[in-house]
Amino acid sequence: MEKLMQYVWQHRLFDSSKLTTVDGRRLRIIDVGRLNTDSGPDFFNAKIGVDDCVWAGNVEIHRRASDWRRHNHHLDPAYDSVVLHVVEVADAQVCRTNGEAIPTLVLSCSPTFRADYEALVAHSASQSCARHIGDFDPVVLADWVSSLAIERLQAKAQRLYDWLELYRGSWEEVCYISLARSLGFGINGDAFERLARSLPLLFMQKHADSLPQVEAFLFGQAGLLVEGECAGDDYYARLTSEYAFLRNKFGLTPINRDSWKFFRLRPANFPHRRIALLAQYIHRGFNLFSRICEATDIEELRSIFKAELTGYWTTHYLFGHTSPESPAVLGEGAVDIVLINTVAPLLYACGLRTGNEAMADRAMVLLESLRTEKNSIVRRFVEMGIGVTNALESQAVIQLNNAYCQAHKCLYCRIGHKLLSRSAMKR
């Protein structure tokens, strides 16, 4: 329950008018300090008054005072700067490494607050606060949704920066990895990322003039070419033979074929045609990031990703099974998902990294221009009463679900904070 106590302390959700230390000295909380999320005391740069003296330093919070010694703080000089020890149960005296006693405050969470918190985190994502959404000021909700949208973009941008570091500043390489991941459309996103990272773009571009060779690389590295399977499928046999040669020549190791998910997927969403589409993008030269930066409107962005398959993949969803002819892989809705998950984060990340505010703003405008995503997460929050009218807002509620509701981080959610702060000072 230390997190609860930290929350109460950080937001001053306690009666500070008659505070005393455990040894009876008058206590004033001038500044609670700044929450520390790394190692060391819980709050930095606090300021407290003990009788007529004012102390500036750090604050440590424990469920029990005896946790101080249990965590070996009495041996750690990093904790000598603590000027106040806040506990729920004062079952021991605490001292610095030189034996000097540290003032201790008993600060109990109210039973109502504890019960409300446990009720929030005990339920599945968002269920316990759903009935209260209608009580919130729409302006407050809209502000939280806007913050969540930025938070999600920043998280995606950080992942792009990690890739940028890995690929020595190549935005095209980052675009390639990001697009590959997007083509997995969630369920196969991780597998597509591993596939793309096993075949860097710079390497693939050296073979881009031959579409069958590019397909052999990708399908082979995906673990989907196994000699002896799909008897009678000449194209499969040709790709398998080609990959066997390439694998030996370049010392390649395919990813685990069990990485690919097929359960409850319609044939049109099987990874095979998406891999074939990625091969098409590479065969066409893959200058997608440059084209994204140069595009002037949303329709031009959509046109970048509208590619039709030719040959074998117009009549196949997977190897060895003929299907009705269908050259198109991505419909307009699927293209928009790529714009949401690849294009907008790329524009935002590059804009921030290069100081190009107009480019970062383009990402926001793009998301505001796209229709809301249709999935179970968005539907649930709409049913709760949170308005979702475009992709920026649907990305926001996905962030709310993934980063707060699923993680039971109700203390850090503005909705949860509002609900809990009502009961924090009740006794």
Side-chain angles (χ1 to χ4, degrees):
M1 288 299 172
E2 284 184 20
K3 285 186 178 180
L4 279 183
M5 295 183 64
Q6 289 176 0
Y7 176 83
V8 170
W9 177 262
Q10 181 181 10
H11 298 285
R12 302 184 73 118
L13 300 176
F14 53 88
D15 184 359
S16 59
S17 61
K18 297 179 180 179
L19 295 179
T20 60
T21 63
V22 293
D23 56 358
R25 289 180 287 173
R26 182 168 51 88
L27 185 65
R28 291 178 296 123
I29 310 302
I30 302 168
D31 189 336
V32 297
R34 176 173 54 84
L35 180 64
N36 172 32
T37 57
D38 295 319
S39 60
D42 293 320
F43 289 85
F44 288 151
N45 302 323
K47 186 180 291 186
I48 65 168
V50 180
D51 285 337
D52 296 327
C53 296
V54 174
W55 296 86
N58 301 328
V59 172
E60 178 69 3
I61 295 178
H62 284 128
R63 170 79 173 82
R64 292 179 173 275
S66 55
D67 292 337
W68 181 274
R69 293 185 68 88
R70 191 174 295 113
H71 298 166
N72 290 321
H73 296 337
H74 64 297
L75 303 176
D76 189 346
Y79 288 82
D80 284 347
S81 58
V82 169
V83 295
L84 183 66
H85 190 211
V86 180
V87 301
E88 192 168 17
V89 179
D91 60 348
Q93 186 183 53
V94 300
C95 300
R96 300 184 176 89
T97 57
N98 63 1
E100 183 180 9
I102 297 174
T104 299
L105 166 69
V106 173
L107 186 67
S108 300
C109 296
S110 77
T112 304
F113 173 65
R114 191 187 300 275
D116 286 351
Y117 171 76
E118 290 175 349
L120 276 179
V121 299
H123 291 78
S124 59
S126 73
Q127 284 184 352
S128 53
C129 57
R131 65 184 182 275
H132 299 290
I133 294 297
D135 300 333
F136 278 79
D137 184 341
V139 175
V140 173
L141 279 179
D143 185 58
W144 181 219
V145 168
S146 297
S147 297
L148 288 164
I150 296 295
E151 185 178 300
R152 185 161 178 82
L153 271 175
Q154 289 175 338
K156 289 184 175 183
Q158 185 55 58
R159 182 167 62 189
L160 298 182
Y161 295 148
D162 292 341
W163 292 341
L164 193 67
E165 182 77 17
L166 187 63
Y167 293 103
R168 299 182 181 181
S170 172
W171 283 102
E172 287 291 354
E173 195 84 52
V174 170
C175 180
Y176 164 66
I177 303 291
S178 181
L179 174 61
R181 185 175 180 85
S182 291
L183 291 177
F185 288 87
I187 191 168
N188 280 309
D190 289 341
F192 262 100
E193 181 183 332
R194 287 196 295 273
L195 171 60
R197 292 181 66 171
S198 75
L199 293 168
L201 179 62
L202 188 61
F203 174 81
M204 294 299 292
Q205 285 175 325
K206 296 177 181 178
H207 306 270
D209 57 335
S210 171
L211 180 58
Q213 194 171 76
V214 173
E215 288 188 347
F217 269 120
L218 289 172
F219 282 108
Q221 279 298 97
L224 298 175
L225 297 177
V226 179
E227 198 163 343
E229 289 189 358
C230 300
D233 189 321
D234 293 340
Y235 192 69
Y236 180 85
R238 190 157 64 249
L239 289 184
T240 302
S241 176
E242 179 72 15
Y243 178 69
F245 168 77
L246 295 170
R247 179 180 181 179
N248 182 63
K249 179 179 179 180
F250 295 106
L252 300 174
T253 300
I255 69 173
N256 190 335
R257 68 183 301 176
D258 293 335
S259 301
W260 302 102
K261 307 293 191 302
F262 294 86
F263 185 60
R264 291 181 179 174
L265 285 181
R266 293 180 300 157
N269 294 327
F270 286 173
H272 294 69
R273 279 163 59 89
R274 306 277 170 77
I275 292 173
L277 180 61
L278 184 60
Q280 281 274 15
Y281 290 136
I282 295 170
H283 179 57
R284 296 191 319 194
F286 206 101
N287 59 342
L288 298 186
F289 181 71
S290 298
R291 295 178 63 189
I292 288 169
C293 293
E294 294 167 1
T296 57
D297 57 44
I298 193 170
E299 289 307 318
E300 190 174 351
L301 285 171
R302 285 192 176 113
S303 69
I304 294 172
F305 299 97
K306 289 179 179 178
E308 292 191 348
L309 299 179
T310 59
Y312 183 88
W313 291 109
T314 62
T315 56
H316 289 77
Y317 289 120
L318 69 168
F319 291 113
H321 298 273
T322 304
S323 305
E325 185 171 355
S326 175
V329 180
L330 303 180
E332 185 171 305
V335 170
D336 284 356
I337 294 297
V338 172
L339 298 188
I340 291 169
N341 292 318
T342 295
V343 174
L346 280 168
L347 290 173
Y348 187 80
C350 187
L352 291 186
R353 178 56 63 95
T354 60
N356 187 337
E357 293 185 12
M359 179 178 283
D361 289 343
R362 280 181 61 199
M364 305 291 290
V365 172
L366 173 62
L367 290 174
E368 289 174 335
S369 303
L370 292 169
R371 289 166 294 190
T372 180
E373 297 153 272
K374 296 179 180 179
N375 56 51
S376 59
I377 295 174
V378 174
R379 284 194 296 272
R380 185 170 72 250
F381 281 100
V382 169
E383 290 169 359
M384 286 171 56
I386 296 181
V388 181
T389 59
N390 55 50
L392 186 72
E393 293 171 350
S394 63
Q395 284 286 288
V397 297
I398 290 171
Q399 179 71 5
L400 176 58
N401 179 78
N402 295 352
Y404 296 87
C405 298
Q406 292 291 348
H408 298 293
K409 290 189 174 181
C410 305
L411 294 176
Y412 308 99
C413 168
R414 292 189 196 176
I415 296 172
H417 170 75
K418 191 74 172 179
L419 295 175
L420 289 170
S421 62
R422 296 171 180 174
S423 60
M425 296 184 67
K426 294 178 181 177
R427 296 295 169 186

